[in-house]
């Protein structure tokens, strides 16, 4: 979900013939129509989306009516870029009954503490706002990727300011310090179990049938799993788009638990 976190998506249309009745064909959708993703009901609760200002939101009430319970919105990037839609969308999402979260895309410019301060100023979190660090390769500018030291300082600063650890969004290959298969980019370090990052809830990005758990989180497992990402970024899940009414496109995430556990987790992140 690199810095803009977008996914091509569309509005699905289906026609079911009943009792031999003839129905007029539906008008073609202006968006790509994807087949349904594999059944994930046994793996988690498919109720969390993440977006940025690049996504068009027509109605958060429709998002909620589509069995989505929570949205995580980009708030900031580095130490000088704030997402222009985040603040305005928060009251709209919460009024629709959605849990609200924000994430920061970490970069190499600005110390971890500086980025944390900028993120919190942009996010203005309340006690029920989930906070997240997006820790991945900056594919547009690899030399501007966040380092392990910056990430640890970011998490420490957020925890010191809020009393809560953020969740950490990361791909298992990146977290383990191995080179990415296409670009060959590497985090340059391995997150270890004794890192403060490993104390954070894991939001794992993995577009396979089941997620690989980075070594640092082997004992804890994942809390959120982004199973469908941005096709434009070259990371399609099963070559499919994902469809949520009320938003033009989004990333899709499972929560490792039921709805009751999701609400508890959201306001008391470990």
């Amino acid at each position: 979900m690199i810095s803009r976190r977008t996914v091509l998506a569309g509005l699905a249309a289906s026609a079911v013939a009943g009792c031999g009745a003839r129905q007029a064909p539906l008008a073609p959708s202006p968006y790509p129509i994807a087949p349904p993703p594999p059944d994930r009901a046994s793996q988690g609760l498919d109720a969390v989306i993440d977006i940025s200002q690049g996504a068009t939101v027509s109605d958060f009430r429709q998002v909620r009516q589509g069995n989505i319970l929570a949205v995580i919105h980009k708030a900031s990037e580095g130490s000088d870029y704030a997402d222009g839609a985040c603040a305005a969308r928060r009251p709209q999402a919460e009024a629709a009954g959605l849990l609200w979260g924000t994430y920061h895309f970490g970069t190499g410019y600005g110390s971890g503490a500086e980025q944390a301060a900028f993120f919190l100023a942009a996010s203005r979190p309340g006690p029920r706002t989930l906070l997240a660090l997006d820790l991945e390769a900056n594919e547009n500018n690899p030399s501007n990727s966040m380092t392990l030291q910056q990430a640890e300082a970011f998490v420490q600063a957020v925890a010191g300011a809020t009393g809560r650890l953020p969740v950490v969004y990361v791909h298992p290959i990146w977290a383990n310090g191995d080179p990415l298969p296409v670009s060959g980019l590497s985090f340059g370090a391995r997150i270890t179990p004794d890192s403060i990052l490993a104390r954070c809830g894991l939001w794992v990005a993995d577009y396979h049938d089941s997620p690989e758990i980075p070594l640092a989180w082997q004992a804890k497992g994942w809390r959120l799993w982004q199973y469908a990402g941005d096709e434009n970024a070259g990371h399609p899940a099963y070559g499919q788009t994902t469809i949520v009414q009320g938003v033009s496109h989004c990333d899709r995430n499972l929560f490792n638990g039921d709805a009751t556990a999701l609400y508890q987790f959201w306001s008391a992140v470990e």
Side-chain angles (χ1 to χ4, degrees), residues 77-197:
E77 179 174 335
S79 58
D80 61 358
Y81 173 80
D83 186 292
C86 183
R89 285 175 174 173
R90 176 179 180 173
Q92 298 169 6
E94 292 181 333
L98 290 160
L99 296 170
W100 180 255
T102 57
Y103 74 88
H104 173 79
F105 184 86
T107 72
Y109 297 157
S111 70
E114 289 170 343
Q115 293 189 54
F118 185 75
F119 168 57
L120 293 174
S123 175
R124 288 180 286 182
R128 291 183 59 82
T129 303
L130 182 134
L131 301 172
L133 170 62
D134 181 353
L135 180 59
E136 60 179 297
N138 190 336
E139 296 179 0
N140 294 326
N141 185 2
S143 65
N144 190 24
S145 298
M146 179 174 262
T147 67
L148 175 61
Q149 291 75 22
Q150 287 172 311
E152 290 177 333
F154 177 94
V155 166
Q156 187 67 57
V158 168
T162 66
R164 294 178 292 151
L165 291 167
V167 298
V168 173
Y169 170 95
V170 69
H171 190 280
I173 293 177
W174 195 250
N176 291 339
D178 298 322
L180 297 175
V182 176
S183 66
L185 296 175
S186 170
F187 189 36
R190 173 176 291 181
I191 302 174
T192 62
D194 61 351
S195 169
I196 191 173
L197 301 182

Side-chain angles (χ1 to χ4, degrees), residues 40 43 170 172 202-214 218 221-227 238 254 256:
R40 301 185 182 278
Q43 296 176 286
V170 69
L202 172 63
W203 181 4
V204 62
D206 194 340
Y207 309 135
H208 296 94
D209 289 332
S210 60
E212 177 185 350
I213 306 302
Q218 285 291 321
W222 59 275
R223 302 309 304 267
L224 292 167
W225 167 24
Q226 187 186 92
Y227 70 84
Y238 308 97
L254 295 186
N256 195 359

